[in-house]
Every structure is written in C-alpha cells, then in structure tokens.
Amino acid sequence: MKFFIDTANLDHIREANDLGILDGVTTNPSLMAKEGIKGQENILKHYVDICNIVDGDVSAEVIATDFEGMIKEGEALAELHPQIVVKIPMIKDGIKAIRYLTDKGIKTNCTLVFSAGQAILAAKAGATYVSPFIGRLDDISFDGVELIEQIVNIYNLHGFPTEVLAASIRNSMHIIKCAEAGADVVTCPLEPIMGLLSHPLTDSGLAKFLADHNK
Ligand code: G3P
C-alpha cells in the first residue's frame, strides 16, 4: 500500500518525507488556498516545490470544468514536472478529459468519487488513480470504507489497473480500515499518519526499559 500525504503544506510534506514512508502527495484547490497560495504563477511554482521534496506522484487539480479547459490545464500541469498527476473531477467532461489525457500518456487522478458506478467509469476511461472520499461519505452517514471495499472488489474482479486511492481520510483508524479493505493508496493529512505511531503501552514500556537500564 502506498502512503500519500494530503496537503499543500511544505513543512508537513517534509516531515512525512523525512520519516521515509512517503510515496506521494495529493492536493486540491482548498488545500492550496489553506496555505495562502494564490495566483497561477505561485500555484504552479508550489507544485514544483512539492515535486522537489518528494519522490513520487504529486496530484495537481484542474480548475476548469469543461473538456477543452481541462485538457489544456492538464497538459500544462503535466509539463511542469514528470511527477505531476492531473487531478480531474468526476463529471461528464472529466471522464472525456481522463480518456484524452490517458491516451496521451499523462497520468490522471479522478477525484470527488462517491459511488462504485463513478469508480467504474473512471477505470473505463483509463484513470491512473480513483479517489473515493471516505470521510465525506461518513459525514452523511454512509460507510466510506465499505465503498473502498466494493471498488477494490470490482477492480480485482475485472482486472482494472486503476489504483484505488482512499481520500478524505480523517483519522488513523480510517488508514487501518482502508488498508484492510485493500486500498492501493491512502492519502491523509500529517496528523493521522503520526497518530499511527502512538500507543500508551509503547510509551510506558519504553519508560520502564530506560528506567531499568539506568538502575
Ligand atoms: O483528498 C481529498 C481530501 O482533501 C478531502 O478531504 O477532509 O476535505 O473531506 P476532506
């Protein structure tokens, strides 16, 4: 399973990367805005800065919602750096854009996926990754992890090469559940990643070992 960090915060990306467990980065327009990255030039430079920190795929989202606009933006994003994966929303023109970019050899990440049907379309269009948002499903009382399981089963059954990238992960338990469900990738903020480190018995056990050593 690959581990991506879902942020545009360079310090968080460096911290996760320094752990030696990071395989890539996902961003979206909200995450870029959260870091105060504004204006096309700054946004593009920020993507390159991210690529220079991490070895692995970096998802950069298009803003256009029409086919022509999405492919134009997508091609420009892909030219920025070989690690860029073009993130395209799950809409009708988005599916067409994924097909077009895939045929041109450009990697894509189909985002805002909330159903197995949407995931099937993304895979048929040739998306490199499909991003089901599990936290947002949980928010409306649907089981996000169940959707990951369903998509993983369908893709395995039919041999779709599209990787299931579990997104909108809010806590460490989500990461574990998505790993159990067979997600190819999990993407989440730094906090749930660091949360995986903690166990009170590790802390008390280590304290006792050190105390005994010092006796
Ligand atoms: O990768 C998608 C993610 O950024 C959305 O997360 O917490 O805003 O639902 P969230």
Side-chain angles (χ1 to χ4, degrees):
M1 186 180 76
K2 286 190 253 182
F3 238 123
F4 288 0
I5 190 166
D6 193 32
T7 185
N9 182 298
L10 299 183
D11 290 335
H12 288 189
I13 295 169
R14 275 191 209 98
E15 195 173 336
N17 194 53
D18 286 349
L19 269 182
I21 52 93
L22 200 61
D23 300 300
V25 179
T26 51
T27 63
N28 63 39
S30 305
L31 293 172
M32 295 294 272
K34 195 172 160 195
E35 299 308 318
I37 317 295
K38 286 185 208 146
Q40 192 60 1
E41 209 174 304
N42 291 333
I43 290 173
L44 298 184
K45 180 188 172 300
H46 201 75
Y47 288 137
V48 175
D49 289 344
I50 294 174
C51 291
N52 287 334
I53 297 175
V54 177
D55 258 345
D57 287 347
V58 173
S59 288
E61 190 158 340
V62 298
I63 303 300
T65 53
D66 63 297
F67 173 73
E68 293 297 338
M70 279 188 269
I71 62 167
K72 194 168 157 222
E73 258 186 76
E75 284 175 328
L77 286 169
E79 268 185 22
L80 272 183
H81 197 282
Q83 285 168 238
I84 292 285
V85 173
V86 180
K87 207 169 179 189
I88 305 267
M90 164 44 73
I91 52 177
K92 191 174 167 189
D93 276 19
I95 290 297
K96 291 186 201 170
I98 289 170
R99 176 81 272 158
Y100 177 92
L101 294 170
T102 300
D103 289 347
K104 290 207 122 194
I106 294 172
K107 284 186 174 183
T108 57
N109 175 356
C110 184
T111 190
L112 289 165
V113 167
F114 295 94
S115 75
Q118 291 178 325
I120 291 170
L121 279 181
K124 285 296 294 175
T128 315
Y129 298 102
V130 66
S131 288
F133 277 29
I134 69 167
R136 292 191 193 184
L137 277 171
D138 288 357
D139 289 345
I140 58 158
S141 301
F142 281 83
D143 190 337
V145 172
E146 218 168 78
L147 176 64
I148 299 295
E149 228 164 14
Q150 195 183 15
I151 297 171
V152 166
N153 283 337
I154 293 170
Y155 282 8
N156 285 343
L157 200 59
H158 296 279
F160 287 124
T162 300
E163 292 186 51
V164 180
L165 193 169
S168 181
I169 283 180
R170 306 273 174 75
N171 54 57
S172 305
M173 187 51 77
H174 268 156
I175 299 176
I176 296 163
K177 292 279 173 203
C178 287
E180 281 182 328
D184 299 289
V185 191
V186 290
T187 191
C188 60
L190 184 62
E191 215 185 356
I193 298 176
M194 292 307 183
L196 293 175
L197 280 170
S198 308
H199 197 287
L201 291 179
T202 305
D203 297 342
S204 59
L206 183 59
K208 177 144 180 23
F209 284 154
L210 294 180
D212 288 344
H213 171 78
N214 290 328
K215 271 181 200 165

